[in-house]
Amino acid sequence: MNSTIELLKSHRSIRKFTDQKIPHELLIELIRAGQAAATSNHVQAYTVIHVKDPANREKIAELAGGQSYVATASDFLVFCADMKRPTEAAERSGANVVRGMTEQLVVASVDAALMAQNVVIAAESEGLGICYIGGIRNNPQAISDLLHLPEHVYPVFGLCLGYPAADPDVKPRLPVEAILKEDYYTDDSELVAAFDDAMQSYYGERRGGNKDSNWSKNLSPLFSSKLRAHMREFLTKRGFEMK
């Protein structure tokens, strides 16, 4: 295995950071690495907000569900799906722009995610730790107001960056056989059952705390209620009408 593959396989979410600050020049290089990610039709439908104001960081930590590391990480970024910039550019070039299409929402969301993952890989290659913060979608309108996001832009997730002050175990993943299927979709319930056993052991033995659970049990809160049911109305108000 080469060093890139080993780096990817060693990913952990870091939630405790040292006081050491990331040099600004390195942060800019991480963003440039993010921009090198694939982007649909070269649209580059993303904007990244570097949240530096400590008060805003504290507010976002609260809005994201009390995730204190949003405030304590060296840097905090909010990755936004941005269809404002490309649609306005097309309009200035003479196009009769149609806004609010579902495909535009998908393209911008995927573009933002691909860019962020490039940033993450680059950061981890420099010895930094990261933690994605999907919790900003708990209160997306308040986050949007705080960051002055215009119509046709929405916050997809946040990202904590910093030097790790913890060394958590690598969390197991589903077996490749469950994820990689040949020609057709096939049942993988037996593989999931075996993975639940593996996760039960992981949670019982991991460093920094243990719990009595497995993969399937952890999914229960995600599918036993209407998770973030406000997102549809929020996205419509943002101009993503999903036509």
Side-chain angles (χ1 to χ4, degrees):
M1 293 296 174
N2 64 48
S3 58
T4 301
I5 293 175
E6 290 299 325
L7 173 67
L8 290 166
K9 290 167 61 179
S10 67
H11 166 72
R12 295 90 44 83
S13 291
I14 301 297
R15 295 177 174 85
K16 293 182 180 180
F17 300 94
T18 71
D19 293 334
Q20 183 179 355
K21 298 300 182 183
I22 299 171
H24 180 70
E25 297 78 9
L26 175 56
L27 182 65
I28 296 302
E29 284 304 305
L30 299 181
I31 298 300
R32 289 190 176 120
Q35 288 184 275
T39 168
S40 180
N41 290 298
H42 204 223
V43 174
Q44 302 170 82
Y46 43 65
T47 288
V48 183
I49 309 295
H50 182 200
V51 184
K52 300 176 68 175
D53 186 318
N56 285 351
R57 292 265 295 268
E58 291 283 355
K59 185 63 176 177
I60 292 172
E62 178 186 343
L63 291 169
Q67 300 189 64
S68 60
Y69 28 95
V70 169
T72 58
S74 170
D75 293 272
F76 183 70
L77 308 176
V78 177
F79 286 80
C80 303
D82 185 348
M83 270 294 165
K84 178 180 185 294
R85 183 186 302 111
T87 52
E88 289 182 353
E91 205 164 41
R92 287 193 296 270
S93 76
N96 185 18
V97 169
V98 178
R99 291 180 169 85
M101 301 300 294
T102 301
E103 177 64 5
Q104 293 173 357
L105 172 63
V106 172
V107 164
S109 300
V110 170
D111 266 16
L114 290 174
M115 185 207 179
Q117 189 61 10
N118 257 32
V119 171
V120 164
I121 295 165
E124 291 181 335
S125 77
E126 288 287 332
L128 299 175
I130 72 93
C131 186
Y132 281 105
I133 306 296
I136 66 169
R137 297 193 303 277
N138 292 350
N139 293 283
Q141 188 58 60
I143 297 288
S144 298
D145 292 343
L146 186 68
L147 303 180
H148 300 172
L149 301 185
E151 190 177 37
H152 300 115
V153 179
Y154 90 92
V156 186
F157 45 72
L159 183 70
C160 296
L161 289 163
Y163 291 93
D167 185 26
D169 297 322
V170 174
K171 186 176 289 187
R173 295 308 199 251
L174 284 160
V176 171
E177 295 81 5
I179 300 301
L180 179 63
K181 302 178 186 295
E182 295 185 4
D183 292 322
Y184 308 105
Y185 196 99
T186 55
D187 180 72
D188 49 33
S189 54
E190 291 185 4
L191 293 169
V192 169
F195 182 62
D196 276 338
D197 290 339
M199 287 303 299
Q200 188 85 36
S201 297
Y202 164 79
Y203 283 129
E205 300 170 2
R206 68 176 177 176
R207 288 173 288 177
N210 53 56
K211 63 180 179 179
D212 181 16
S213 189
N214 60 35
W215 184 68
S216 296
K217 289 178 181 177
N218 281 350
L219 297 177
S220 179
L222 301 178
F223 299 105
S224 58
S225 62
K226 293 183 178 180
L227 183 67
R228 294 176 183 143
H230 54 264
M231 284 301 296
R232 182 183 179 89
E233 181 181 359
F234 165 74
L235 289 169
T236 300
K237 289 180 178 178
R238 288 274 102 194
F240 294 98
E241 300 172 39
M242 291 174 278
K243 295 181 283 189

